[in-house]
Amino acid sequence: MSNEGLPADEQLPFWGELVSRELAPLMLSSAKGAAGFPARASVLDLGLVRVAAFSSPPAYLRRTRADVRRSDPGTYQLTFVSGTPLWISQRRQDSGLVLGDMVLFDVSHPFEGAVPDRGRHTQVVIMQLPREELPIPPDKVCRLLAQPMSTRTGMGAILARFMTTLDVYGPGCDPRDLSRLGVIALDLAGACLAQYLGAYDDLPAETRQQAMLARVNAFIDHNLGDPDLGPADIAAYHHISVRSLHTLFRQQGETVAASIRRRRLERCHADLTDPRLRRRSIGAIAARWGFLRPADFSRAFRAAYGVAPREFRRAALRCLPDTQAAALSDK
């Protein structure tokens, strides 16, 4: 959704109505006023959870008690902030300027916030979490309102990455997959918030399992280039048994080894079509993702994609503009 095709004086009112509809009724204002307020948004419905991505100019927003009485969807809004910083104030707690991290607010209570004018748009991805579905009591969650939560390490980093990739890849999923992603999103958010509250062990076993699976998957993705990566090392790093690791992966319908091999092949597949890697040999690309023996890589690639790596690369080059194709090397 975009308001960029509207006259400048209509852009802000349109955007205020859209935000009120997609999040909750609130007041939105901008110092630019009639000078224009070009903005974009996308919304992804995951059943239990909705994810909304917004890109907009600096603005001030406020939700009053009257707004809450008028409409209360009963959701927490977990917000990952990039582009320019924003601040949120709610229930006598103030986030300060948040950028590159997450902040939580509750639409069942008044709040206010703003994006300072830094000469560029702010970009936020908001995960809307139904209060009754979150496995943490509201009296505990309220301690996290308007408090910045780091996305540099741990569950915060995993959740932020999950939120941003949903916006990119979610539209390509079918409804059944989206519904499953909603359950995963709720479990990850619950685990992340519980970790900040020191209440991780109080979560339901299923939620903790889902969070552990997300941590393991993130670890695998980060270490695909290690040719020795295997179940024993993964289990040891996460302080679980190899048997527990295999039990976790039954939820995904593939073994640990098969998951590692598939992801390595996907990375190689992407690199072989990347014009920026045109001078890198196929053997070097395979080694980058943990395939040390070219013959093993070629056999695995053909089994997965039905074509040899060299033939696949040639076909990919034919789809490029002539100037790029001429520059590519078939090493």
Side-chain angles (χ1 to χ4, degrees):
M1 295 171 281
S2 171
N3 65 357
E4 295 173 358
L6 296 175
D9 61 344
E10 296 180 16
Q11 290 179 350
L12 182 60
F14 173 90
W15 200 250
E17 290 178 9
L18 183 143
V19 173
S20 292
R21 184 176 71 246
E22 298 300 334
L23 297 183
L26 51 79
M27 181 196 75
L28 182 71
S29 60
S30 168
K32 295 184 181 297
F37 194 85
R40 291 178 174 271
S42 62
V43 179
L44 188 66
D45 192 342
L46 304 178
L48 293 173
V49 173
R50 296 175 82 231
V51 177
F54 295 92
S55 175
S56 59
Y60 170 79
L61 53 92
R62 185 183 181 196
R63 180 163 161 82
T64 65
R65 294 187 184 282
D67 292 326
V68 174
R69 287 194 296 269
R70 183 154 55 102
S71 175
D72 180 8
T75 59
Y76 297 111
Q77 312 284 327
L78 184 61
T79 306
F80 174 68
V81 187
S82 60
T84 56
L86 63 72
W87 62 263
I88 289 287
S89 178
Q90 186 171 51
R91 304 197 76 176
R92 299 182 181 179
Q93 298 179 153
D94 195 305
S95 69
L97 291 178
V98 177
L99 179 62
D101 290 323
M102 296 184 296
V103 65
L104 183 74
F105 59 99
D106 183 351
V107 297
S108 294
H109 298 276
F111 65 85
E112 62 178 331
V115 178
D117 193 348
R118 299 289 177 87
R120 59 187 184 276
H121 284 202
T122 193
Q123 298 175 16
V124 298
V125 179
I126 301 177
M127 183 179 288
Q128 302 174 5
L129 306 166
R131 185 186 297 102
E132 67 275 8
E133 298 290 344
L134 200 64
I136 307 173
D139 61 328
K140 290 187 176 181
V141 176
C142 72
R143 288 155 44 191
L144 296 176
L145 299 178
Q147 299 296 301
M149 292 179 281
S150 174
T151 63
R152 271 67 171 179
T153 59
M155 286 302 303
I158 293 171
L159 181 56
R161 182 178 178 187
F162 180 78
M163 290 168 66
T164 53
T165 54
L166 273 178
D167 180 52
V168 176
Y169 300 110
C173 297
D174 63 39
R176 197 179 329 178
D177 288 336
L178 290 175
S179 181
R180 283 195 289 262
L181 286 172
V183 175
I184 293 171
L186 197 60
D187 285 339
L188 289 181
C192 182
L193 298 179
Q195 190 174 65
Y196 272 98
L197 290 166
Y200 186 82
D201 291 338
D202 297 335
L203 291 173
E206 186 177 348
T207 297
R208 283 185 276 119
Q209 278 191 341
Q210 194 64 58
M212 175 61 75
L213 183 58
R215 288 174 56 197
V216 168
N217 280 325
F219 177 82
I220 290 173
D221 286 339
H222 187 69
N223 292 278
L224 284 174
D226 179 0
D228 296 323
L229 181 66
D233 291 332
I234 296 169
Y237 182 87
H238 292 89
H239 308 291
I240 60 176
S241 68
V242 173
R243 181 179 179 180
S244 295
L245 179 67
H246 287 305
T247 300
L248 275 176
F249 269 72
R250 289 197 192 105
Q251 301 177 35
Q252 299 194 151
E254 63 182 352
T255 66
V256 180
S259 180
I260 293 171
R261 183 172 59 252
R262 172 181 57 77
R263 297 183 213 197
R264 284 175 169 161
L265 288 169
E266 288 172 351
R267 300 304 193 282
C268 292
H269 184 280
D271 282 0
L272 289 172
T273 63
D274 190 340
R276 296 169 297 181
L277 302 178
R278 61 184 177 272
R279 300 192 183 282
R280 186 170 297 181
S281 70
I282 290 176
I285 287 174
R288 178 190 183 191
W289 296 112
F291 291 102
L292 296 186
R293 295 164 56 96
D296 291 344
F297 167 65
S298 182
R299 189 161 47 249
F301 192 93
R302 183 185 287 275
Y305 298 107
V307 63
R310 189 181 302 276
E311 296 169 8
F312 172 78
R313 198 179 212 186
R314 285 193 186 123
L317 302 189
R318 286 197 291 270
C319 298
L320 294 174
D322 292 341
T323 53
Q324 283 184 293
L328 267 149
S329 169
D330 184 31
K331 296 181 180 179

